[in-house]
Amino acid sequence: MLLRLPLRLSFWALVAGAKAHTKYVTRTTTTTAVAPKGTVQPSVNGPAPYRLQKPPLDTPWTDKVGTNPWPQYPRPQLRRDAWTSLNGIWTYQDAGKSTIVGDPPKLPLQQEVLIPSCIESGISGIQVMGVTHMWFATTFKVPEDWDQNKRVLLNFEAVDYEATVFLNGVNVGFHRGGYFRFSLDVTANVKQDGPNELAVFVYDPTDDVSIPQGKQTKRLSHIFYTPCSGIWQSVWLESVPDNYITQLDLTADMNGDVTAKVHTRDNGDAQVKILVRTADGVAVAAVFGPSNQKLGFGVKSPNLWSPESPTLYDVTVQIGEDTVNSYVGFRTISSGVVNGIQRPLLNGKFVFQFGPLDQGYWPDGLHLPPTLEAMVYDLELIKSLGMNMVRKHIKIEPDLFYEACDRLGLLVIQDMPSMRVFGDRPPTNEEQAEFERQLELMIEEHKSYTSIITWVIYNEGWGQRRDYHPEFAITERIRQLDPTRLVNAVTGWHDNGAGDFLDNHHYADPQCGTPFYSLPSSPYDPKRIGFQGEFGGLGHRPADENLWPVAEAVRDINQTYEMHADTNSYNYRAHVLLELLRQQIELFACSGAVYTQTTDVEGEVNGFVTYDRRVIRVNVEQWKADVQALYDTAAKRG
């Protein structure tokens, strides 16, 4: 059964029903004409103008990107009113192989580029591979109505991989790590009453050194994909008072106990006011206390967050002249023995976790979806199949992804992006330390999102040291940083007993918490949770119009774990595999499973939907029934 784009579900209604400070801020966008690949040329009269390049494969949202992309407020758990987006048309030029960051070149640069984007993508207007050193630049004005006595923050949501930032010719900051936000206080360098020149030097060594890069590669192969270089998430300005909130940590459990820590610029103990309200505005808690210290308080009989009822509470935090708006969900993630079996628990009950491996790649934007609507489409598709979980596979998404999961009610298993896997050389001590530093960044930036339930350290041993077992110490460090979630130390194999899970990968049929297993996985460990981290992977070659037409990808299609001639065969086999999984839930110690995967990705043609998101491959009613059977069987065991 082949279905075209399904009806939209509930996410936009959820957003529309939220308070003003939890709504998405949108602006008018323009539709951009598509230029054939390679037609953009430098001009002696100025930068070559931006034109959307024709990607190898587009999506229904490609021509809706316009020149004002991603206008939404980028950090939904730390919202302020005074902000402005710097997304849009910048200029770009290849910096050659220079490893020395000198003075910025004269602006404008050679070619216009759309920010945010990956320069390898059609949406960027560049669509080029193999560039490791590059410049990006723009000019901007500070909004006239901003208080000139306040501080100005320049925020980047993600730059892959290293960024050196210049404002009006002055080096104002450096950041390393392709998936993480950073903020620069540019008050001393910004012109409040005139144009400002912003230039960013980016270095992205994908494959050249061992860095956290996930599935990115310049050496395209079946399960490794086109890389992403450059400023690939939003850039924006924010006006803040002299002492402002830099981070807000919020946890709320099933008993109504809330823990909050309000981090501030001065690291002092200024008075903080925290107000918690229901979605319809009823205040349920008002708390006062010092900043930069953990504050504990209670909410009586809260409505709990779960996939069936993703209730969220609005939170307002005030310190001096600074006010931020956020939200929180009440829920508890833990592990416990239920009828003699170690289980993952949500709000004290065994909830079977089932959902897809979600890689988050797009044929037009690569790492970045073309629009927010496109990103939410994938999540709504998962939810429409009756699934309650998504495994975000060795990639970290924009914060709006996690807010969408919070609002839709999707449990998130969050992987740490793996280090490069080419060759047999293990990471050096310095590379290992950098990996662990960035893993801590991932946790610090995302630990207040209600939907995230598990942190994953290593996937199938990629970038995992073998001369000792670092996952034990890393697991303990994660528990110190975030004691509210579970840790899956090693998903797949090379398991040495660390973490809360014994996580098996097996294609196509599952081996979940069973007394049998296939190498290189490990036998079930009754002291930990039996979990199927990956299975399925059934393939079906779509019509050419829905296929990523890149030679390396087409060449490797038959490496897909199990190929099917048509969707009838595909869905028949899926039913068989889900029945096997149901039996393993009934007979053994299976507590959750991840099916591969949400969408096709380049040469992997095993998604619920094709890579262009135009054709749904799964028989929706059959899958909904089979998924519900998993939950029903697990309920009998719980």
Coordinates of all heavy atoms in Angstrom, one line a residue, residues 210 419 425-436 463 465 467-468:
S210 N 39.6 12.5 14.3 CA 38.5 11.8 15.0 C 37.7 12.8 15.9 O 38.2 13.3 16.9 CB 39.1 10.7 15.9 OG 38.1 9.9 16.4
M419 N 32.3 9.3 17.2 CA 33.5 9.8 16.6 C 33.7 9.0 15.3 O 33.0 8.0 15.0 CB 34.7 9.6 17.5 CG 34.7 10.6 18.6 SD 36.2 10.6 19.6 CE 35.8 9.2 20.7
R425 N 42.4 2.7 14.1 CA 43.0 3.5 15.1 C 42.0 4.0 16.2 O 41.0 4.6 15.8 CB 43.7 4.7 14.5 CG 44.4 5.6 15.5 CD 45.1 6.8 14.9 NE 44.1 7.8 14.5 CZ 43.5 8.7 15.4 NH1 43.8 8.7 16.6 NH2 42.6 9.6 14.9
P426 N 42.3 3.6 17.4 CA 41.3 4.1 18.5 C 41.5 5.6 18.7 O 42.6 6.2 18.3 CB 41.8 3.3 19.7 CG 43.2 3.0 19.5 CD 43.4 2.8 18.0
P427 N 40.6 6.3 19.3 CA 40.8 7.7 19.7 C 41.9 7.9 20.6 O 42.2 7.0 21.5 CB 39.4 8.0 20.4 CG 38.5 7.0 19.9 CD 39.2 5.8 19.7
T428 N 42.7 9.0 20.4 CA 43.7 9.3 21.4 C 43.1 9.8 22.7 O 41.9 10.0 22.8 CB 44.6 10.4 20.8 OG1 43.8 11.6 20.6 CG2 45.2 10.0 19.4
N429 N 44.0 10.0 23.7 CA 43.5 10.5 24.9 C 42.9 11.9 24.8 O 41.9 12.2 25.4 CB 44.7 10.5 26.0 CG 45.1 9.2 26.4 OD1 44.4 8.2 26.3 ND2 46.4 9.1 26.9
E430 N 43.5 12.7 23.9 CA 42.9 14.0 23.7 C 41.6 14.0 23.0 O 40.7 14.7 23.3 CB 43.9 14.9 22.9 CG 45.2 15.2 23.6 CD 46.2 14.0 23.6 OE1 46.0 13.0 22.9 OE2 47.2 14.1 24.4
E431 N 41.5 13.1 22.0 CA 40.2 12.9 21.3 C 39.1 12.4 22.2 O 38.0 12.8 22.2 CB 40.4 12.0 20.1 CG 41.2 12.7 19.0 CD 41.7 11.7 18.0 OE1 41.7 10.4 18.2 OE2 42.2 12.1 16.9
Q432 N 39.5 11.4 23.1 CA 38.6 10.9 24.0 C 38.1 12.0 25.0 O 36.9 12.1 25.3 CB 39.2 9.7 24.8 CG 38.3 9.1 25.9 CD 37.1 8.3 25.2 OE1 37.3 7.8 24.1 NE2 36.0 8.2 26.0
A433 N 39.0 12.8 25.5 CA 38.6 13.9 26.4 C 37.7 14.9 25.7 O 36.7 15.3 26.3 CB 39.8 14.6 26.9
E434 N 37.9 15.1 24.4 CA 37.0 16.1 23.7 C 35.6 15.4 23.5 O 34.6 16.1 23.6 CB 37.6 16.4 22.3 CG 36.8 17.4 21.5 CD 36.6 18.7 22.2 OE1 37.4 19.1 23.1 OE2 35.6 19.4 21.8
F435 N 35.6 14.1 23.2 CA 34.3 13.4 23.1 C 33.5 13.5 24.4 O 32.3 13.8 24.4 CB 34.6 12.0 22.7 CG 33.3 11.1 22.7 CD1 32.5 11.0 21.7 CD2 33.1 10.3 23.9 CE1 31.4 10.2 21.7 CE2 31.9 9.5 23.9 CZ 31.1 9.5 22.8
E436 N 34.2 13.3 25.5 CA 33.5 13.4 26.8 C 33.1 14.8 27.1 O 32.0 15.0 27.7 CB 34.4 12.8 27.9 CG 34.7 11.3 27.7 CD 35.5 10.7 28.7 OE1 35.6 11.3 29.9 OE2 36.2 9.6 28.5
G463 N 34.0 4.6 17.6 CA 34.8 5.5 18.4 C 35.0 5.1 19.9 O 35.4 5.9 20.7
R465 N 36.8 3.2 22.9 CA 38.1 2.6 23.2 C 38.0 1.2 23.6 O 37.1 0.8 24.3 CB 38.7 3.5 24.3 CG 39.1 4.9 23.9 CD 40.4 5.0 23.2 NE 41.6 4.6 24.1 CZ 42.3 5.6 24.7 NH1 42.1 6.9 24.5 NH2 43.4 5.2 25.4
D467 N 41.1 -0.5 24.7 CA 42.2 -0.8 25.6 C 41.8 -0.7 27.1 O 42.4 -1.1 28.0 CB 43.4 0.1 25.3 CG 43.0 1.6 25.2 OD1 41.8 1.9 25.1 OD2 44.0 2.4 25.3
Y468 N 40.7 0.1 27.3 CA 40.0 0.1 28.6 C 38.6 0.4 28.3 O 38.1 0.4 27.2 CB 40.7 1.1 29.5 CG 40.4 2.6 29.2 CD1 39.5 3.3 29.9 CD2 41.0 3.2 28.0 CE1 39.2 4.7 29.6 CE2 40.7 4.5 27.7 CZ 39.9 5.3 28.5 OH 39.6 6.6 28.2

